Amino acid sequence: MTSRLERITQQRLDSLSRIRARGINPYPPSYHSSHTIKEALTIFEQQEEKSQTMSLAGRTMSKRSLGKMAFLDIRDGSGKIQLCFRRDFLGKEKYEFLREVDIGDIIGAEGKLFQTKTGETTLEVSDFTMLCKSLRPLPEKWHGLTDVEKRYRQRYLDLISNEDARTTFMLRSQIMTTMRNYLDSHGFIEVETPVLQSQAGGALARPFITHHHALDKDLYLRIALELYLKRLVVGGFDRVYEIGRVFRNEGISIQHNPEFTLLECYQAYANYNDIMNLVEEVVSHIAREVLGNTRITCGGKTIDLAPPWQRLYLREATKNYCGIDFEDYPDTESLLRAAAREGKQLELGDKFSRGKLIDKLISTFVEPNLIQPTFLLDYPIEISPLAKKKNDNDHLVEKFEAFINGVEIANAFTELNDPLEQRERFQQQLKEKIGDEEVEVADEDFLQALEYGMPPTGGLGIGIDRLVMLLAGQNSIREVILFPQLKTK
């Protein structure tokens, strides 16, 4: 017994044969439309003279036949418009060819715009052309594509069927363009750095490993952009940034994808206070440009992205939300006992350090409370081997993370530019974490670059995907990445 999909596919193959039998190419090499649909609608709305002939092209989204008249809706990348086909205007042969047009087919149409009695701007078609015959049916018109996993695996169907999906990814593009424009206008230079690296550094993460056959050596997909960008600061690029994909061989969740888009930027002669100002300014600027407002709604909560953002010291926040002052517990065992006394249940892996334990306390008990935009300041040195120590506390570094609606969107610090201390930190980490796949590996060339001298510098990383989630009102990273990683079907 054949399935409904098989029957529809066969009907469309039969239609394809009939089209070819007429001597018509159902897949012509090109079609030159005079306007996009959005442009056509704008022209009609603004011009007093309505008799302009234009050609439009798009995918057929609906079809309604009324005997000697038919209506089709087509959509291109800019919008949707109704087409009107009249038998007495097109002629019998051309009008009957309309039977071969199915929902999903891409057509080109010529004609003049008019307004129907219901006020809908419509193209009265004088001629039309088949541009691409669709052999599979689109998802059901009224419900669109509702299978979440299918939406991610077949994003093209999601984009065809769901207006919200198209809007989200158009918003993502606007966010990235606005971010670039802001940084460019503030003296930053955009650059590109290697994706394949001989050492994976700049963050604590498990890397992906590949093999270069010509060089006969293993290479790593980058886990961060940091170390190469700081080389450029050494080279005299005082304000530099990159927006690029990074790769971490770790878990998948609604907030994590193995490859994601990261902005990293570095500003010479600045510290983490300057970078805090940059973050709140750039995020609020993007919101105003793409949303028209700095106020957004997340889960029924109104969040204001306008500066200034709240600033909390990590030590105080941990005491407030966990009842633990981590400065009182200098090693892993004593901190773990303190957490147990406070009744703090933590899921920890087989290997964890004091730094990872503090990080777990933060993510479990502090972050969910940071709804309004908040900078969490001054982290333990174990968590940030590339950050500069505070002048008044050797156990803490000048680092902040920015949170909105309980989600981290930015990570920044005053960069460590003392080459001897940086080498010592790498060596200490290696000594303490032998066998740990997430250990920061000492990069000898980077250390050598520091020895030539890097000015005082503030560095920043912003997760583009999470920023888009926030501004688009999405709660899953898969909704803002066109092709997210999924388990094998």
Side-chain angles (χ1 to χ4, degrees):
M1 184 174 178
T2 58
S3 68
R4 177 176 176 274
L5 175 60
E6 288 172 328
R7 289 196 303 273
I8 292 175
T9 300
Q10 186 56 55
Q11 289 168 3
R12 294 191 175 207
L13 286 170
D14 293 342
S15 175
L16 183 67
S17 296
R18 290 193 297 270
I19 292 170
R20 285 184 164 140
R22 287 173 175 247
I24 297 171
N25 179 3
Y27 303 102
S30 65
Y31 181 83
H32 300 291
S33 52
S34 62
H35 302 83
T36 66
I37 289 173
K38 183 178 180 180
E39 288 171 346
L41 293 173
T42 301
I43 289 171
F44 184 77
E45 182 181 335
Q46 294 177 348
Q47 287 186 354
E48 293 182 8
E49 175 57 51
K50 307 292 188 181
S51 62
Q52 181 178 352
T53 299
M54 51 185 61
S55 56
L56 307 176
R59 185 182 296 276
T60 304
M61 302 303 295
S62 69
K63 182 179 179 182
R64 305 171 297 285
S65 181
L66 303 172
K68 296 182 180 181
M69 181 183 295
F71 292 92
L72 270 66
D73 289 340
I74 64 169
R75 180 189 297 279
D76 67 6
S78 70
K80 185 176 73 171
I81 193 169
Q82 178 174 263
L83 308 183
C84 174
F85 300 79
R86 300 179 193 271
R87 179 176 174 176
D88 57 357
F89 190 44
L90 280 170
K92 179 181 177 182
E93 183 178 352
K94 195 73 176 182
Y95 187 77
E96 289 183 351
F97 180 67
L98 194 59
R99 295 175 185 173
E100 306 298 350
V101 178
D102 292 305
I103 293 175
D105 290 354
I106 299 171
I107 65 170
E110 297 176 14
K112 295 179 181 180
L113 292 175
F114 74 99
Q115 201 166 60
T116 66
K117 292 179 181 179
T118 59
E120 184 170 0
T121 303
T122 302
L123 185 78
E124 178 148 33
V125 178
S126 58
D127 194 15
F128 69 95
T129 305
M130 176 70 71
L131 302 179
C132 181
K133 184 68 185 173
S134 170
L135 300 183
R136 286 175 176 263
L138 297 181
E140 202 274 325
K141 173 185 174 184
W142 299 111
H143 302 291
L145 187 60
T146 56
D147 183 322
V148 173
E149 184 168 328
K150 191 170 186 178
R151 287 180 53 232
Y152 301 150
R153 291 188 187 278
Q154 295 179 274
R155 182 67 84 183
Y156 45 90
L157 288 182
D158 187 30
L159 296 171
I160 290 171
S161 306
N162 296 326
E163 180 68 33
D164 288 345
R166 285 193 299 277
T167 300
T168 294
F169 289 105
M170 289 173 68
L171 181 70
R172 180 187 176 108
S173 177
Q174 292 169 351
I175 288 169
M176 294 181 71
T177 298
T178 305
M179 177 175 283
R180 279 191 167 96
N181 290 342
Y182 181 92
L183 292 171
D184 291 345
S185 67
H186 284 73
F188 286 87
I189 298 171
E190 184 175 11
V191 297
E192 295 173 304
T193 61
V195 173
L196 292 174
Q197 302 181 355
S198 57
Q199 291 181 243
L204 299 178
R206 182 184 298 115
F208 287 93
I209 305 173
T210 188
H211 188 77
H212 192 292
H213 291 284
L215 296 177
D216 192 22
K217 63 182 289 190
D218 285 342
L219 295 172
Y220 302 88
L221 274 67
R222 63 186 179 191
I223 58 176
L225 312 174
E226 180 166 349
L227 299 186
Y228 278 96
L229 292 178
K230 288 201 285 194
R231 286 170 169 89
L232 297 179
V233 177
V234 171
F237 281 12
D238 289 344
R239 296 191 178 201
V240 63
Y241 77 95
E242 181 173 6
I243 298 176
R245 300 291 269 187
V246 295
F247 309 85
R248 299 184 183 180
N249 197 354
E250 297 171 341
I252 298 175
S253 73
I254 62 170
Q255 291 187 15
H256 299 88
N257 195 62
E259 56 175 311
F260 58 97
T261 305
L262 184 64
L263 160 79
E264 286 200 30
C265 70
Y266 293 84
Q267 181 176 336
Y269 311 106
N271 64 15
Y272 74 150
N273 291 305
D274 301 301
I275 302 302
M276 272 185 268
N277 295 334
L278 175 64
V279 171
E280 61 187 11
E281 287 169 7
V282 73
V283 172
S284 60
H285 173 76
I286 290 170
R288 280 192 300 271
E289 289 293 310
V290 303
L291 302 178
N293 200 329
T294 60
R295 290 180 179 270
I296 60 173
T297 301
C298 295
K301 301 180 289 286
T302 299
I303 295 172
D304 193 352
L305 302 175
W309 294 4
Q310 178 180 212
R311 286 155 166 77
L312 287 179
Y313 289 101
L314 175 61
R315 182 180 179 185
E316 295 303 317
T318 308
K319 284 196 290 186
N320 290 341
Y321 294 112
C322 301
I324 297 171
D325 183 349
F326 57 76
E327 284 281 275
D328 292 340
Y329 306 99
D331 55 64
T332 307
E333 291 71 22
S334 62
L335 183 56
L336 193 59
R337 287 194 298 269
R341 282 197 304 271
E342 292 293 331
K344 304 303 180 187
Q345 301 299 316
L346 300 171
E347 294 184 10
L348 299 168
D350 297 332
K351 299 174 183 176
F352 60 92
S353 61
R354 179 175 179 272
K356 284 190 176 181
L357 182 52
I358 294 172
D359 194 49
K360 194 69 175 178
L361 288 170
I362 298 165
S363 62
T364 305
F365 302 108
V366 178
E367 293 177 13
N369 295 286
L370 307 179
I371 304 303
Q372 294 300 323
T374 302
F375 294 117
L376 210 51
L377 299 147
D378 299 351
Y379 280 64
I381 194 170
E382 300 98 318
I383 297 177
S384 301
L386 295 165
K388 184 170 287 190
K389 286 189 288 192
K390 289 185 67 63
N391 286 332
D392 57 354
N393 190 329
D394 284 348
H395 303 296
L396 301 178
V397 294
E398 292 191 350
K399 166 178 171 166
F400 73 79
E401 291 182 349
F403 296 90
I404 303 174
N405 197 36
V407 176
E408 178 198 341
I409 65 157
N411 177 10
F413 36 84
T414 306
E415 302 295 336
L416 177 58
N417 62 342
D418 180 337
L420 301 181
E421 184 180 351
Q422 183 64 85
R423 184 180 295 277
E424 185 180 331
R425 293 236 206 131
F426 280 144
Q427 290 172 346
Q428 183 64 29
Q429 271 206 321
L430 288 168
K431 193 181 300 181
E432 293 175 356
K433 298 185 177 183
I434 298 299
D436 189 340
E437 292 183 70
E438 294 188 354
V439 67
E440 182 85 51
V441 179
D443 184 325
E444 189 59 40
D445 182 73
F446 168 67
L447 290 170
Q448 187 177 104
L450 283 187
E451 290 172 356
Y452 283 97
M454 184 177 80
T457 298
L460 166 67
I462 292 180
I464 298 295
D465 308 299
R466 291 186 180 180
L467 181 60
V468 176
M469 286 170 59
L470 177 76
L471 297 180
Q474 301 289 349
N475 61 9
S476 171
I477 198 169
R478 297 185 185 99
E479 295 289 351
V480 300
I481 294 177
L482 280 166
F483 300 102
Q485 288 291 336
L486 300 168
K487 291 182 179 178
T488 303
K489 198 170 183 180

